[in-house]
Amino acid sequence: MKITCLLLDDDPLVLDLLQAYVAMTGVLDVKAVFSDPLEAHSYLLNNDVQVLFSDVTMPHLSGLDLVRSLQQPPLVVLMTSYPQYAMEGFNLDVIDFLLKPISLDRFLKAVNKVSSILRTAHPNGDDSQEALAGWGSFFIRTDAQFVRLHYREVLYIEALKDFTKINTADGRTHLTLVNLKNLEEQLPPGLFVRTHRSYLVNAAQIEAVSTQEVRVGGHALPLGQTYRERVTERIVNHSLIRRQHL
């Protein structure tokens, strides 16, 4: 079954290019194409698509604000000529971030990532972020076998030179000959967050955050200065209950 999508960009040449790329994939079904973000917003409020390919900088409503405005956004792939928006985009749990001009191979990589996430979604077809976090899974190779791990059971992943050690909630550990950078690139960015150059953490499993560490499943892991602002913004500020001033 094809993946339903919406294309949004205020540049008609980019929309033409995207539609040509879509035709080459054979797996995408374009339900709507918009150059006006307000029209796209109205469509998304009344129609379901599985993935939104959206420009970032547009008149009236940016792609970032569009995603924020949706209570239950689809999977999102953002596109822009300005790489400084990448961090803010990933704070919104976007699936991928494409820099313009977009090459075919980079577009296909984003489509493969979306397809992989949807394939591992809840068996009843629910592809919401909640279902993905709960039921999505991936395989790793350990010694002479392939082991399936569900996203929900992973606490954190630790770099060990060319290996990574995956720590799960039931106390097991799995060693795989894939470095942390490659593993991070292949896991959904909305579900895992880098807290240190040597640690990748399941965002849903974080219990506490301080200036120097995060606590996950009773483990205290270092929080690197480079990653502190992103972790605080995404994990804490995003869901912080604040005091109301009268």
Side-chain angles (χ1 to χ4, degrees):
M1 185 173 294
K2 290 192 174 183
I3 300 168
T4 59
C5 67
L6 183 151
L7 308 179
L8 171 61
D9 200 294
D10 61 343
D11 186 336
L13 295 179
V14 172
L15 288 177
D16 288 344
L17 179 66
L18 290 176
Q19 291 180 87
Y21 284 173
V22 165
M24 296 178 194
T25 69
V27 299
L28 294 176
D29 178 15
V30 179
K31 292 299 183 181
V33 178
F34 292 103
S35 58
D36 185 337
L38 296 178
E39 292 180 1
H41 179 264
S42 178
Y43 181 91
L44 289 168
L45 290 179
N46 297 286
N47 300 273
D48 291 327
V49 296
Q50 292 170 297
V51 58
L52 165 65
F53 291 90
S54 176
D55 188 18
V56 173
T57 53
M58 296 176 289
H60 309 304
L61 188 70
S62 74
L64 295 168
D65 289 335
L66 171 62
V67 176
R68 292 191 190 97
S69 71
L70 298 171
Q71 187 172 4
Q72 293 184 317
L75 301 181
V76 177
V77 176
L78 290 178
M79 309 173 294
T80 186
S81 301
Y82 306 99
Q84 63 265 32
Y85 291 114
M87 183 63 71
E88 191 173 358
F90 285 130
N91 285 337
L92 293 174
D93 295 340
V94 303
I95 298 304
D96 209 343
F97 193 91
L98 303 180
L99 287 178
K100 298 178 180 179
I102 302 168
S103 64
L104 176 59
D105 65 317
R106 188 62 185 85
F107 181 80
L108 292 176
K109 183 176 180 179
V111 173
N112 288 338
K113 188 178 293 187
V114 169
S115 179
S116 176
I117 291 171
L118 292 176
R119 279 199 308 270
T120 56
H122 193 284
N124 66 12
D126 182 0
D127 57 1
S128 66
Q129 286 293 335
E130 289 80 8
L132 292 172
W135 297 99
S137 63
F138 61 100
F139 278 95
I140 58 168
R141 183 168 186 168
T142 62
D143 296 326
Q145 65 178 338
F146 296 95
V147 177
R148 181 195 292 274
L149 296 175
H150 289 274
Y151 297 134
R152 69 180 183 274
E153 66 182 318
V154 176
L155 289 179
Y156 64 94
I157 304 170
E158 181 180 359
L160 298 174
K161 293 187 178 181
D162 293 331
F163 289 83
T164 54
K165 182 169 71 172
I166 301 175
N167 299 267
T168 59
D170 60 5
R172 292 180 299 156
T173 60
H174 303 272
L175 286 177
T176 184
L177 186 57
V178 180
N179 65 44
L180 189 63
K181 182 177 184 297
N182 288 337
L183 191 59
E184 180 181 16
E185 289 175 349
Q186 295 177 66
L187 291 174
L191 303 183
F192 293 87
V193 60
R194 192 74 167 261
T195 60
H196 184 273
R197 60 186 177 86
S198 298
Y199 290 93
L200 185 64
V201 173
N202 186 335
Q205 297 279 13
I206 293 179
E207 301 162 346
V209 179
S210 66
T211 56
Q212 296 186 347
E213 68 179 31
V214 295
R215 292 194 63 83
V216 184
H219 302 272
L221 306 179
L223 176 58
Q225 184 175 357
T226 304
Y227 308 94
R228 187 178 304 152
E229 182 178 353
R230 180 183 178 189
V231 170
T232 302
E233 177 62 31
R234 177 176 159 189
I235 305 301
V236 180
N237 294 347
H238 180 69
S239 55
L240 179 64
I241 296 177
R242 305 177 187 275
R243 177 182 178 184
Q244 298 292 327
H245 296 284
L246 300 178

